[in-house]
Amino acid sequence: MPDYGHPLLFGSFITPTNGPARQPVELAVLAEDLGFPFVELSREIEKFAGCSVAEIQGLYGMNAYRRYERRALEEAIQIYPEAVIATPGGLVSDPASFNELLAHCTTVWLHADPQDHIQRVTAQGDLRPMGGRAEAIEDLKQILAARAPFYAKAEFRLDTSAQPLESTFLSLREMVRSALQLPA
């Protein structure tokens, strides 16, 4: 495991599946509130690869995607001693990346019920989770159940289901500021 030569005060948010648009917004606002840079790991992965996440997975496969993901995470940790990093939920599928995250970052699991995931993502116009398949919600439930033991390793958990954006942000802000021992 690399030694980045600095302590990372605050690190990562595990956002299961392709998170809804509101989560990066919440995290970007939180980063601004804390005075930390905001890193959306999916965008960093795309920069490394020179193409979209969907193209990486379609052209090169999941193993290549996981390699890009690990490189992007390592670089984010190395460059930013204090940052808010939004990670893809599948990051927990790669033991090396997940261990890197847990070793160097304070982690928060932004939990939501499977139905909320699908509603939020489709509300922003992303129909991939459903893909016209009636069994999509059952598939998502199975994915989230399989990942739950890994997500549970996060130091903090915030349930975002059935909460408006503002109250979710305020809860997240309070949790993070308390964890960092910063004034409210």
Side-chain angles (χ1 to χ4, degrees), residues 1-85:
M1 198 171 315
D3 176 5
Y4 295 104
H6 59 75
L8 187 69
L9 288 184
F10 203 76
S12 186
F13 295 85
I14 304 170
T15 53
T17 70
N18 49 338
R22 70 183 239 155
Q23 285 178 341
V25 169
E26 291 168 356
L27 299 179
V29 171
L30 177 67
E32 184 177 319
D33 179 73
L34 296 171
F36 293 174
F38 174 63
V39 179
E40 191 171 355
L41 204 60
S42 293
R43 300 299 75 83
E44 299 305 309
I45 294 165
E46 291 174 340
K47 287 179 191 174
F48 268 112
C51 58
S52 72
V53 168
E55 290 170 321
I56 297 166
Q57 292 174 352
L59 293 171
Y60 308 114
M62 191 54 76
N63 289 337
Y65 172 79
R66 293 288 173 224
R67 283 191 302 274
Y68 284 120
E69 181 180 63
R70 188 174 318 116
R71 286 177 53 199
L73 177 64
E74 289 171 349
E75 183 173 279
I77 291 170
Q78 184 173 12
I79 291 173
Y80 303 108
E82 300 172 333
V84 173
I85 305 170

Side-chain angles (χ1 to χ4, degrees), residues 56-128:
I56 297 166
Q57 292 174 352
L59 293 171
Y60 308 114
M62 191 54 76
N63 289 337
Y65 172 79
R66 293 288 173 224
R67 283 191 302 274
Y68 284 120
E69 181 180 63
R70 188 174 318 116
R71 286 177 53 199
L73 177 64
E74 289 171 349
E75 183 173 279
I77 291 170
Q78 184 173 12
I79 291 173
Y80 303 108
E82 300 172 333
V84 173
I85 305 170
T87 62
L91 183 135
V92 301
S93 303
D94 180 61
S97 294
F98 190 48
N99 287 332
E100 186 82 2
L101 181 78
L102 293 173
H104 295 284
C105 301
T106 301
T107 52
V108 178
W109 171 18
L110 298 177
H111 175 267
D113 295 330
Q115 193 61 43
D116 285 337
H117 277 290
I118 288 180
Q119 287 173 351
R120 291 173 185 171
V121 174
T122 55
Q124 71 189 30
D126 186 349
L127 303 179
R128 289 176 299 160

